[in-house]
C-alpha cells in the first residue's frame, strides 16, 4: 500500500479551507477605491438598486441597464444594506465567486484525485495574481467564473459518481443550480460554456450517452428554470424589447461584431495567462521528475482540465473584442495542471520548501499589485471630494457635464439619479461602445424617465433656472465652453474635473444662465 504523504495527512477540512479562502480574498478588498468605469458602474448600479428599493430592474442612473443580469447587483445591494456604500461590500460578489470556484476545485480533486494535488491546486489558484485581482475587482467576470467552475466540477462529479453507482443526483442538481446562477450572473455563457466543456469531455472519454442523459435530466431543468426563469420572464413582460437587446444584441451581435472594447488578435490570451499567473506559471517550464509514471487513475480528470482550459481560451479568442477578465474561468483548470506538473515524478514532502517559497512570492505579488493600484489608479471622480461641511442636501440635484463619472454617486452617497448633459442625438447614432452608448441604450426602455435625465446641453435653462440649487460636475475646463458657470460657486477641483454649486433662480427666471444667445453659443461651442 502506498504511504500517504504529509500533505495528504495534513489536508485541511473543507470548512476551514473555505474560511481561509474568504479571509485571504477579502483582506485587501477595502484597500483601494473603486476604479472607473467598471467598478464605479457596477457598484453604482448595486447601490441604486438598494436606494430605489427596486430589486428587479438594474438601473444605471435611474435608467434600465440590461447589459447584464442582476445577480451581481443583488449580492452587492444586500451587502451594502448592512455596511453602507463601502468598497469591500461592492466587491463582495466577486470575492464570493472566487471562493466558490476555489472551494469547488478543492472538493472535486480531493474526491477524484490525490489530497496533496487538491491542496496545491487550491493554493496555486488562490495566490495567482490574476485570480486574486479578479476577486478584488467589482465586475461580473469573477462571479460568473466561479459559477462556471462549480457547474463544470459538479456535473463532472455527477457523471463519475453515476458511472461508479455512487450518489449523483445532489451533485447534478447543484450543477444545474450553479448554471442558473451563471445565467443570472452574466447571461448565456453561464450555461453554454459549462455545457460545452462537459459535452466535449464526455465525447473524448466515451461517455457521450451518459452526458446526454444527464443533460436531459428533468429535475435539473426544473431547478434551473425555477431559479433563473422568473427574472428573465418578468423583464420580457415589462419591456417588450428586452429579448432583442439582451440576447440578440448583447450576446450574439457583441460576440460577432467589432466596434466594442479592446480589439485584439487571436493570440491575446496566451501571454495574458502566462504573465498574470507568474510565478506559478514558471513551474510548467520545469521538466518532469525522473520518477514520473502514468497516472491512469487520474486520466479522466486530466482530460477534463485540458478540455476546460482549451474551451475557455478558444471561445473568448474568437471575438475581436477581448477584455482580460473574460478568461478568468480558465484559471481553475490551469491551477490543476500546474499542480500536476509540480508533482510529476517528485515527492510532495521533498518539494515543501520550494512550494512554500513560490506561494509566498506569489502572495506578495498579489498584495503588491493591490497596493500599486491603490496608489496609482485612483479615478478623478474619487479624488473630487466636497469641502468639509458641504454635501448635496435633500431636494438638490446633481448635473454632470460632457461625461458621466460613475464613481461620484457612490462616493458622494447620492440617493437620487443625476442629470446628464450631452449631445444625445449624436450619441444615439454612435456605434462605439462607450458611456454615451450605455446611456442611449438604457434610455430606450423608459422614454419618459429618459427625458428628465438625459438633457441636451444647449437647453439647460429649464432645469437650472429653478428655485433650488444644482451641483455641477464636469471637466475642470468646462467653464470655458459654458459661460454661465461664471455665475456658479466653484467648490472643488482637481487635475481633471471640478464641481460647482449653482444657486438657481428664486423667481424661476428663464434667463438665469444669461441671454438666450449666450446660452446657445455655449452649447454650440460644447458641440464642436
Amino acid at each position: 500500500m502506498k504511504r500517504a504523504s504529509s500533505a495528504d495527512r495534513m489536508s485541511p477540512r473543507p470548512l476551514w479551507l473555505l474560511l481561509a479562502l474568504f479571509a485571504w480574498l477579502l483582506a485587501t478588498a477595502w484597500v483601494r477605491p473603486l476604479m472607473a468605469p467598471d467598478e464605479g458602474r457596477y457598484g453604482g448600479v448595486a447601490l441604486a438598486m438598494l436606494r430605489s428599493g427596486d430589486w428587479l430592474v438594474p438601473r444605471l442612473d435611474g435608467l434600465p441597464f440590461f447589459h447584464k443580469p442582476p445577480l451581481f447587483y443583488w449580492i452587492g445591494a444586500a451587502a451594502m444594506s448592512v455596511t453602507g456604500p463601502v468598497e469591500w461590500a461592492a466587491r463582495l460578489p466577486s470575492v464570493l465567486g472566487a471562493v466558490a470556484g476555489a472551494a469547488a476545485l478543492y472538493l472535486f480533486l480531493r474526491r477524484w484525485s490525490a489530497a496533496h494535488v487538491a491542496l496545491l491546486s487550491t493554493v496555486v489558484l488562490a495566490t495567482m495574481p490574476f485570480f486574486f485581482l479578479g476577486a478584488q475587482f467589482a465586475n461580473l467576470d469573477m462571479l460568473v467564473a466561479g459559477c462556471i467552475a462549480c457547474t463544470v466540477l459538479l456535473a463532472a462529479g455527477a457523471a463519475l459518481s453515476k458511472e461508479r453507482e455512487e450518489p449523483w443526483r445532489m451533485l447534478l442538481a447543484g450543477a444545474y443550480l450553479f448554471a442558473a446562477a451563471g445565467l443570472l450572473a452574466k447571461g448565456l455563457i453561464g450555461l453554454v460554456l459549462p455545457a460545452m466543456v462537459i459535452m466535449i469531455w464526455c465525447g473524448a472519454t466515451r461517455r457521450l450517452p451518459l452526458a446526454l442523459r444527464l443533460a436531459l435530466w428533468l429535475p435539473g431543468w426544473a431547478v434551473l428554470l425555477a431559479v433563473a426563469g422568473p427574472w428573465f420572464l418578468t423583464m420580457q413582460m415589462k419591456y417588450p424589447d428586452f429579448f432583442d437587446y439582451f440576447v440578440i444584441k448583447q450576446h450574439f451581435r457583441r460576440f460577432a461584431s467589432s466596434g466594442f472594447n479592446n480589439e485584439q488578435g487571436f493570440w491575446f490570451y496566451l501571454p495574458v495567462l502566462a504573465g498574470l499567473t507568474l510565478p506559478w506559471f514558471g513551474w510548467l517550464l520545469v521538466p518532469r521528475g525522473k520518477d514520473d509514471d502514468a497516472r491512469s487513475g487520474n486520466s479522466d480528470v486530466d482530460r477534463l482540465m485540458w478540455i476546460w482550459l482549451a474551451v475557455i481560451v478558444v471561445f473568448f479568442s474568437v471575438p475581436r473584442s477581448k477584455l482580460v477578465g473574460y478568461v478568468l474561468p480558465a484559471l481553475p483548470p490551469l491551477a490543476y495542471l500546474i499542480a500536476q506538473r509540480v508533482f510529476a515524478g517528485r515527492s510532495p514532502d521533498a518539494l515543501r520548501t520550494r512550494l512554500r517559497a513560490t506561494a509566498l512570492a506569489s502572495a506578495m505579488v498579489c498584495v503588491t499589485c493591490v497596493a500599486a493600484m491603490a496608489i496609482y489608479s485612483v479615478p478623478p471622480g474619487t479624488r473630487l471630494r466636497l469641502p468639509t461641511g458641504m454635501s448635496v442636501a435633500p431636494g438638490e440635484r446633481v448635473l454632470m457635464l460632457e461625461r458621466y463619472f460613475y464613481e461620484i454617486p457612490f462616493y458622494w452617497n447620492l440617493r437620487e439619479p443625476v442629470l446628464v448633459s450631452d449631445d444625445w442625438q449624436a450619441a444615439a447614432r454612435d456605434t462605439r461602445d462607450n458611456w454615451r452608448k450605455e446611456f442611449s441604450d438604457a434610455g430606450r426602455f423608459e422614454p419618459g424617465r429618459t427625458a428628465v435625465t438625459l438633457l441636451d446641453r444647449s437647453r439647460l435653462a429649464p432645469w437650472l433656472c429653478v428655485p433650488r440649487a444644482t451641483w455641477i460636475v464636469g471637466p475642470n475646463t468646462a467653464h470655458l465652453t459654458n459661460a454661465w458657470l461664471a455665475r456658479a460657486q466653484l467648490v472643488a477641483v482637481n487635475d481633471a474635473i471640478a464641481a460647482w454649486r449653482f444657486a438657481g433662480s428664486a423667481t424661476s427666471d428663464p434667463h438665469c444662465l444669461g441671454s438666450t444667445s449666450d446660452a446657445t453659443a455655449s452649447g454650440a461651442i460644447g458641440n464642436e
Side-chain angles (χ1 to χ4, degrees):
M1 180 181 293
K2 184 178 178 180
R3 185 179 179 183
S5 69
S6 62
D8 291 337
R9 295 192 299 270
M10 298 175 62
S11 181
R13 298 192 177 209
L15 179 58
W16 289 111
L17 181 71
L18 190 72
L19 293 175
L21 286 169
F22 185 75
W24 161 244
L25 296 173
L26 193 65
T28 56
W30 58 273
V31 169
R32 61 180 182 81
L34 299 183
M35 292 178 64
D38 282 6
E39 290 196 294
R41 178 195 300 115
Y42 295 119
V45 172
L47 183 60
M49 180 174 282
L50 174 64
R51 295 290 191 225
S52 68
D54 182 357
W55 289 71
L56 281 178
V57 183
R59 294 184 180 274
L60 178 64
D61 198 39
L63 304 176
F65 184 61
F66 292 134
H67 274 221
K68 300 295 182 288
L71 181 60
F72 183 97
Y73 312 127
W74 286 342
I75 299 172
M80 285 186 277
S81 69
V82 177
T83 66
V86 295
E87 289 91 351
W88 73 262
R91 296 183 176 118
L92 185 62
S94 298
V95 172
L96 293 179
V99 170
L105 181 69
Y106 175 76
L107 294 173
F108 177 83
L109 294 177
R110 200 174 76 151
R111 170 63 184 85
W112 300 108
S113 183
H116 62 275
V117 174
L119 179 58
L120 181 59
S121 298
T122 309
V123 171
V124 170
L125 181 63
T127 58
M128 280 181 174
F130 195 1
F131 185 84
F132 185 82
L133 294 176
Q136 305 277 301
F137 200 77
N139 74 356
L140 288 71
D141 293 331
M142 182 54 82
L143 180 60
V144 75
C147 293
I148 289 171
C150 291
T151 305
V152 168
L153 295 168
L154 285 165
L160 294 170
S161 297
K162 182 173 175 56
E163 195 173 56
R164 290 160 177 74
E165 297 184 352
E166 298 176 2
W168 57 273
R169 289 180 176 84
M170 290 300 294
L171 293 172
L172 190 57
Y176 278 96
L177 176 63
F178 275 100
L183 278 171
L184 288 171
K186 207 176 178 183
L188 292 178
I189 65 168
L191 175 62
V192 171
L193 289 179
M196 290 174 63
V197 172
I198 293 299
M199 284 298 179
I200 295 173
W201 174 65
C202 286
T205 57
R206 299 181 180 180
R207 292 187 176 92
L208 200 53
L210 174 60
L212 293 175
R213 288 196 295 272
L214 298 182
L216 298 175
W217 192 52
L218 293 182
W221 281 101
V223 169
L224 188 147
L225 293 175
V227 173
W231 183 80
F232 290 98
L233 182 60
T234 301
M235 292 303 98
Q236 181 61 35
M237 294 175 64
K238 186 176 178 66
Y239 302 100
D241 290 339
F242 171 79
F243 181 86
D244 177 73
Y245 182 78
F246 179 78
V247 177
I248 304 300
K249 181 174 181 178
Q250 290 300 318
H251 284 76
F252 296 104
R253 292 179 188 167
R254 192 181 184 95
F255 186 85
S257 302
S258 61
F260 293 101
N261 291 334
N262 198 35
E263 293 192 20
Q264 298 289 344
F266 188 85
W267 49 267
F268 176 72
Y269 287 118
L270 298 180
V272 165
L273 286 172
L276 296 183
T277 57
L278 289 171
W280 286 113
F281 192 86
W283 278 95
L284 292 177
L285 306 179
V286 176
R288 292 181 179 273
K290 296 179 180 180
D291 298 328
D292 187 29
D293 57 357
R295 301 178 313 279
S296 58
N298 286 343
S299 60
D300 287 340
V301 176
D302 292 345
R303 289 179 184 176
L304 173 66
M305 297 302 177
W306 278 113
I307 290 169
W308 180 356
L309 176 64
V311 165
I312 299 300
V313 173
V314 172
F315 181 88
F316 287 111
S317 295
V318 171
R320 283 173 282 184
S321 175
K322 296 177 178 67
L323 297 181
V324 171
Y326 288 173
V327 80
L328 281 171
L331 296 186
L334 181 59
Y336 168 82
L337 295 170
I338 291 173
Q340 283 288 46
R341 175 53 69 92
V342 169
F343 291 129
R346 304 179 185 90
S347 166
D349 294 334
L351 290 168
R352 186 184 305 168
T353 300
R354 280 187 286 172
L355 291 180
R356 285 179 176 173
T358 307
L360 179 60
S362 192
M364 291 178 64
V365 172
C366 293
V367 175
T368 301
C369 288
V370 171
M373 293 169 68
I375 296 172
Y376 298 110
S377 299
V378 182
T382 302
R383 301 197 305 269
L384 189 72
R385 302 288 185 173
L386 295 178
T388 302
M390 297 189 73
S391 62
V392 180
E396 297 180 341
R397 302 294 299 269
V398 176
L399 169 68
M400 295 189 184
L401 293 174
E402 303 174 19
R403 177 182 163 188
Y404 185 78
F405 299 91
Y406 292 95
E407 60 275 21
I408 279 182
F410 186 92
Y411 284 106
W412 286 19
N413 198 17
L414 301 181
R415 296 182 176 273
E416 298 292 336
V418 307
L419 307 176
V420 188
S421 170
D422 202 68
D423 183 355
W424 294 109
Q425 291 184 351
R429 298 189 298 268
D430 195 350
T431 60
R432 294 172 297 174
D433 194 24
N434 54 33
W435 73 270
R436 292 181 178 88
K437 187 63 175 174
E438 287 181 357
F439 275 86
S440 181
D441 287 353
R444 64 188 276 190
F445 292 100
E446 291 184 3
R449 187 185 294 266
T450 302
V452 296
T453 302
L454 307 183
L455 310 181
D456 189 293
R457 61 186 173 193
S458 65
R459 291 186 289 274
L460 294 178
W463 305 96
L464 297 178
C465 296
V466 292
R468 66 178 178 187
T470 301
W471 299 75
I472 315 294
V473 180
N476 58 16
T477 58
H479 61 284
L480 301 178
T481 56
N482 297 274
W484 53 270
L485 280 174
R487 302 169 182 261
Q489 175 192 2
L490 179 65
V491 295
V493 64
N494 62 31
D495 59 339
I497 61 176
W500 297 263
R501 188 175 185 275
F502 188 77
S505 171
T507 60
S508 298
D509 178 8
H511 302 296
C512 76
L513 301 184
S515 66
T516 303
S517 58
D518 289 343
T520 303
S522 293
I525 293 172
N527 278 305
E528 291 180 357

